[in-house]
Amino acid sequence: MSSISETGVVAAVDKELFIGGKWVSASSGKTFPVLDPSTGEALCEVADASPADGVSALDAAVAAQADWANVAPRERGEILRRAYELLIKRADELALLMTLEMGKPLAESKGEITYAAEFFRWFAEEAVRIDGGFAVAPNGAGRFLVTKQPVGPCLLITPWNFPMAMGTRKIGPAVAAGCTMIIKPAAQTPLSMLALAAILAEAGLPEGVLNVLTTSDSGGVMEPLIRDGRARKLSFTGSTGVGRKLLEQCADKVLRTSMELGGNAPFLVFEDADLDAAIDGAMTAKMRNIGEACTAANRFYVQRGIVEEFSRRLTERMEALPMGRGTEEGVVVGPLIDKAAVEKVSGLVSDATGRGARVLTGGSTVDGPGNFYQATVLTDVPKDARLASEEIFGPVAPITPFDSEDEAIAAANDTEFGLVSYVYTSDLKRALRVSERLEAGMIGLNQGLVSNPAAPFGGIKQSGLGREGGTVGIDEFLETKYIAVAL
Ligand code: NAP
């Protein structure tokens, strides 16, 4: 690590648009700043794409599609495998870059690089397992051939909270399936994606297969591309509000969509749970990524007999977390992404305390530069508090007691979201019963982390459509073609 400097990792990134395999300036010549959320200072400027640059990127993706679809699956997989190895080799530099633009502690950034790289390793292996089918028609007179083909050029949009992994989770299966693509990272964290594009080029990805647009005008650049009709799919990760808007735009040309949207995860702890494990799981589910994760535990429901002990122990653990710049040794609570995020979290806490919730620890913003908010535990949080229904996206753990299993499940399901739910219990029958009744695409059963490239990640209700990762992840980028054969 000693040879890596902050200015060095930022300077090493190409800060232009990546179109047709070339680094190019925005046609307007404009740039926008990337800020360090721990200081509020600009790290650098990156190219600010206009709608015209968007069309150039789409032209490049469309032009590359036919040849790319004909590249052997093994070769596509080997490009991903080489990119996986480069990511692992450069994990320290990439982690520092990510911490600088996003704020999360270095150890977490390093964890994300590994997680991100694993999507490439996984989809390198999936590229050669795209299957098909052969069947005899029921009347015996014909045969059915079923084959899978790439969807075509794709539009990929990613959020700032996992700047690298949300990209590889889409690029990996798209490359494996034989699709070309345009990816647009969030304006707050473009550097990780630009570094990733350079790695994929180095790994041998042909020109035009991946195009990267950085822009301060995401709606203005992406809407014309969605409505153009030549891209055949939109894969989006971000908030439910923006996801809804994009679904409407996609309806115009009936684009295929994958939507990884917001969450409001309940975390249920029953009296029969292993409390040590539940506290550890709660810390992971709440504090991973400073609470800025779609999978973050948003509401803790704890059975009345243990609620006091659980609250006390969680408070002790939260109080002990070192806060600071993510580059500092031992820091766990980094800054939130921007001032608006701090105001949102602060507003949700004030609303809850105004309705009777009690602060056990934290509950305040932090003076000085940077977007810091204290690790916070609230108890006696009433049902009508806004943070019971809104995604907090910050280091705040609201606790509400419950008496019966039915009451806990009803409270957990009382949300428009359905991404993930966490359940802690030692009773196998209860574990399965509750897991089946919870309305979520994923369940953390006695564990506070569900993300795994080899598993199908995704939500139900207004948390999304489709799955990323696992054996189904590649299907999102494949069309099924059935060939009716007359004999
Ligand atoms: P966001 O505001 O919805 O933005 C997500 C992405 O969409 C960014 O790249 C953003 O670009 C872009 N965008 C915003 N408005 C757009 C528009 N009109 N047209 C096209 N693109 C547009 O979400 P965020 O604040 O970055 O991320 C946090 C949200 O993502 C949370 O709700 C979280 O739960 C969700 N999330 C979900 C998952 C999952 O797997 N389900 C994973 C991670 C995060 P700009 O910011 O540059 O405008």
Side-chain angles (χ1 to χ4, degrees), residues 31 43 85 97 107 152 159 161 187 199 232 253 276 338 361 462 465:
T31 58
L43 293 164
E85 279 159 12
L97 185 70
N161 64 340
I199 282 179
R232 292 310 311 142
K253 292 284 183 343
D276 292 341
D338 54 24
T361 186
Q462 293 185 40
L465 300 166

mmCIF file of all heavy atoms in Angstrom, residues 31 43 85 97 107 152 159 161 187 199 232 253 276 338 361 462 465:
data_model
loop_
_atom_site.group_PDB
_atom_site.id
_atom_site.type_symbol
_atom_site.label_atom_id
_atom_site.label_comp_id
_atom_site.label_asym_id
_atom_site.label_seq_id
_atom_site.Cartn_x
_atom_site.Cartn_y
_atom_site.Cartn_z
ATOM 1 N N THR A 31 -16.838 19.502 -18.593
ATOM 2 C CA THR A 31 -16.483 18.508 -17.570
ATOM 3 C C THR A 31 -17.295 18.824 -16.319
ATOM 4 O O THR A 31 -17.909 19.884 -16.215
ATOM 5 C CB THR A 31 -14.986 18.598 -17.202
ATOM 6 O OG1 THR A 31 -14.705 19.916 -16.727
ATOM 7 C CG2 THR A 31 -14.089 18.272 -18.394
ATOM 8 N N LEU A 43 -11.932 16.101 -6.341
ATOM 9 C CA LEU A 43 -10.795 15.204 -6.591
ATOM 10 C C LEU A 43 -10.247 15.443 -7.984
ATOM 11 O O LEU A 43 -9.047 15.352 -8.225
ATOM 12 C CB LEU A 43 -11.245 13.748 -6.496
ATOM 13 C CG LEU A 43 -11.686 13.234 -5.126
ATOM 14 C CD1 LEU A 43 -12.454 11.930 -5.274
ATOM 15 C CD2 LEU A 43 -10.465 13.038 -4.232
ATOM 16 N N GLU A 85 -8.823 -11.278 -12.984
ATOM 17 C CA GLU A 85 -7.472 -11.346 -12.424
ATOM 18 C C GLU A 85 -6.854 -9.950 -12.275
ATOM 19 O O GLU A 85 -6.186 -9.666 -11.286
ATOM 20 C CB GLU A 85 -6.594 -12.271 -13.276
ATOM 21 C CG GLU A 85 -6.866 -13.717 -12.900
ATOM 22 C CD GLU A 85 -6.484 -14.744 -13.949
ATOM 23 O OE1 GLU A 85 -5.781 -14.388 -14.912
ATOM 24 O OE2 GLU A 85 -6.918 -15.903 -13.796
ATOM 25 N N LEU A 97 -9.181 4.338 -4.733
ATOM 26 C CA LEU A 97 -9.940 5.199 -5.652
ATOM 27 C C LEU A 97 -11.414 5.246 -5.241
ATOM 28 O O LEU A 97 -12.043 6.305 -5.183
ATOM 29 C CB LEU A 97 -9.800 4.649 -7.078
ATOM 30 C CG LEU A 97 -10.420 5.481 -8.189
ATOM 31 C CD1 LEU A 97 -9.647 6.771 -8.391
ATOM 32 C CD2 LEU A 97 -10.446 4.678 -9.499
ATOM 33 N N ALA A 107 -11.273 -0.868 3.965
ATOM 34 C CA ALA A 107 -11.486 -2.317 4.059
ATOM 35 C C ALA A 107 -12.771 -2.707 3.323
ATOM 36 O O ALA A 107 -12.837 -3.751 2.664
ATOM 37 C CB ALA A 107 -11.570 -2.747 5.527
ATOM 38 N N GLY A 152 -29.107 -8.159 -27.433
ATOM 39 C CA GLY A 152 -28.715 -7.053 -28.308
ATOM 40 C C GLY A 152 -28.105 -5.945 -27.484
ATOM 41 O O GLY A 152 -27.805 -6.138 -26.296
ATOM 42 N N PRO A 159 -25.817 2.870 -9.612
ATOM 43 C CA PRO A 159 -25.834 3.887 -8.550
ATOM 44 C C PRO A 159 -24.435 4.129 -7.989
ATOM 45 O O PRO A 159 -23.475 3.457 -8.361
ATOM 46 C CB PRO A 159 -26.719 3.226 -7.498
ATOM 47 C CG PRO A 159 -26.403 1.767 -7.629
ATOM 48 C CD PRO A 159 -26.080 1.521 -9.073
ATOM 49 N N ASN A 161 -23.599 3.807 -4.716
ATOM 50 C CA ASN A 161 -23.269 3.196 -3.415
ATOM 51 C C ASN A 161 -22.314 1.995 -3.515
ATOM 52 O O ASN A 161 -21.533 1.762 -2.597
ATOM 53 C CB ASN A 161 -24.535 2.857 -2.616
ATOM 54 C CG ASN A 161 -25.409 1.826 -3.265
ATOM 55 O OD1 ASN A 161 -25.313 1.587 -4.469
ATOM 56 N ND2 ASN A 161 -26.275 1.205 -2.491
ATOM 57 N N ALA A 187 -23.174 10.162 -11.269
ATOM 58 C CA ALA A 187 -22.264 11.308 -11.394
ATOM 59 C C ALA A 187 -21.336 11.428 -10.179
ATOM 60 O O ALA A 187 -20.214 11.919 -10.305
ATOM 61 C CB ALA A 187 -23.067 12.597 -11.570
ATOM 62 N N ILE A 199 -9.650 -1.589 -17.549
ATOM 63 C CA ILE A 199 -9.258 -2.979 -17.269
ATOM 64 C C ILE A 199 -9.870 -3.938 -18.292
ATOM 65 O O ILE A 199 -9.205 -4.850 -18.797
ATOM 66 C CB ILE A 199 -9.665 -3.348 -15.818
ATOM 67 C CG1 ILE A 199 -8.646 -2.735 -14.861
ATOM 68 C CG2 ILE A 199 -9.788 -4.859 -15.622
ATOM 69 C CD1 ILE A 199 -8.901 -2.980 -13.395
ATOM 70 N N ARG A 232 -31.918 -2.764 -26.939
ATOM 71 C CA ARG A 232 -33.014 -3.713 -26.730
ATOM 72 C C ARG A 232 -33.289 -4.002 -25.267
ATOM 73 O O ARG A 232 -34.214 -4.740 -24.946
ATOM 74 C CB ARG A 232 -32.722 -5.036 -27.478
ATOM 75 C CG ARG A 232 -32.744 -4.937 -28.986
ATOM 76 C CD ARG A 232 -34.024 -4.242 -29.535
ATOM 77 N NE ARG A 232 -35.247 -4.786 -28.956
ATOM 78 C CZ ARG A 232 -36.328 -4.056 -28.621
ATOM 79 N NH1 ARG A 232 -36.344 -2.748 -28.811
ATOM 80 N NH2 ARG A 232 -37.380 -4.627 -28.091
ATOM 81 N N LYS A 253 -40.777 1.648 -26.527
ATOM 82 C CA LYS A 253 -40.238 0.717 -27.534
ATOM 83 C C LYS A 253 -40.214 -0.716 -26.985
ATOM 84 O O LYS A 253 -39.538 -1.584 -27.510
ATOM 85 C CB LYS A 253 -38.825 1.139 -27.950
ATOM 86 C CG LYS A 253 -38.778 2.444 -28.744
ATOM 87 C CD LYS A 253 -39.225 2.226 -30.164
ATOM 88 C CE LYS A 253 -39.167 3.398 -31.113
ATOM 89 N NZ LYS A 253 -39.053 4.749 -30.686
ATOM 90 N N ASP A 276 -25.917 -13.480 20.380
ATOM 91 C CA ASP A 276 -24.594 -13.032 19.894
ATOM 92 C C ASP A 276 -24.608 -12.936 18.368
ATOM 93 O O ASP A 276 -24.148 -11.954 17.782
ATOM 94 C CB ASP A 276 -23.488 -14.019 20.305
ATOM 95 C CG ASP A 276 -23.269 -14.003 21.816
ATOM 96 O OD1 ASP A 276 -23.689 -13.023 22.462
ATOM 97 O OD2 ASP A 276 -22.687 -14.981 22.328
ATOM 98 N N ASP A 338 -23.437 12.702 0.233
ATOM 99 C CA ASP A 338 -23.488 14.151 0.012
ATOM 100 C C ASP A 338 -24.316 14.819 1.103
ATOM 101 O O ASP A 338 -24.872 14.150 1.980
ATOM 102 C CB ASP A 338 -24.016 14.489 -1.407
ATOM 103 C CG ASP A 338 -25.352 13.831 -1.717
ATOM 104 O OD1 ASP A 338 -26.087 13.505 -0.762
ATOM 105 O OD2 ASP A 338 -25.670 13.632 -2.896
ATOM 106 N N THR A 361 -28.289 6.135 21.196
ATOM 107 C CA THR A 361 -26.962 6.699 20.919
ATOM 108 C C THR A 361 -27.022 7.444 19.595
ATOM 109 O O THR A 361 -27.879 7.155 18.750
ATOM 110 C CB THR A 361 -25.860 5.619 20.865
ATOM 111 O OG1 THR A 361 -24.591 6.263 20.727
ATOM 112 C CG2 THR A 361 -26.027 4.652 19.704
ATOM 113 N N GLN A 462 -42.180 -3.479 -5.092
ATOM 114 C CA GLN A 462 -41.565 -2.339 -5.794
ATOM 115 C C GLN A 462 -40.048 -2.281 -5.605
ATOM 116 O O GLN A 462 -39.426 -1.240 -5.815
ATOM 117 C CB GLN A 462 -42.247 -1.053 -5.355
ATOM 118 C CG GLN A 462 -43.690 -1.019 -5.830
ATOM 119 C CD GLN A 462 -44.400 0.274 -5.541
ATOM 120 O OE1 GLN A 462 -43.830 1.352 -5.664
ATOM 121 N NE2 GLN A 462 -45.657 0.175 -5.142
ATOM 122 N N LEU A 465 -37.544 -5.955 -10.652
ATOM 123 C CA LEU A 465 -37.939 -6.974 -11.615
ATOM 124 C C LEU A 465 -36.673 -7.680 -12.068
ATOM 125 O O LEU A 465 -35.717 -7.018 -12.449
ATOM 126 C CB LEU A 465 -38.562 -6.324 -12.856
ATOM 127 C CG LEU A 465 -39.816 -5.484 -12.665
ATOM 128 C CD1 LEU A 465 -40.087 -4.659 -13.928
ATOM 129 C CD2 LEU A 465 -41.006 -6.378 -12.358
#
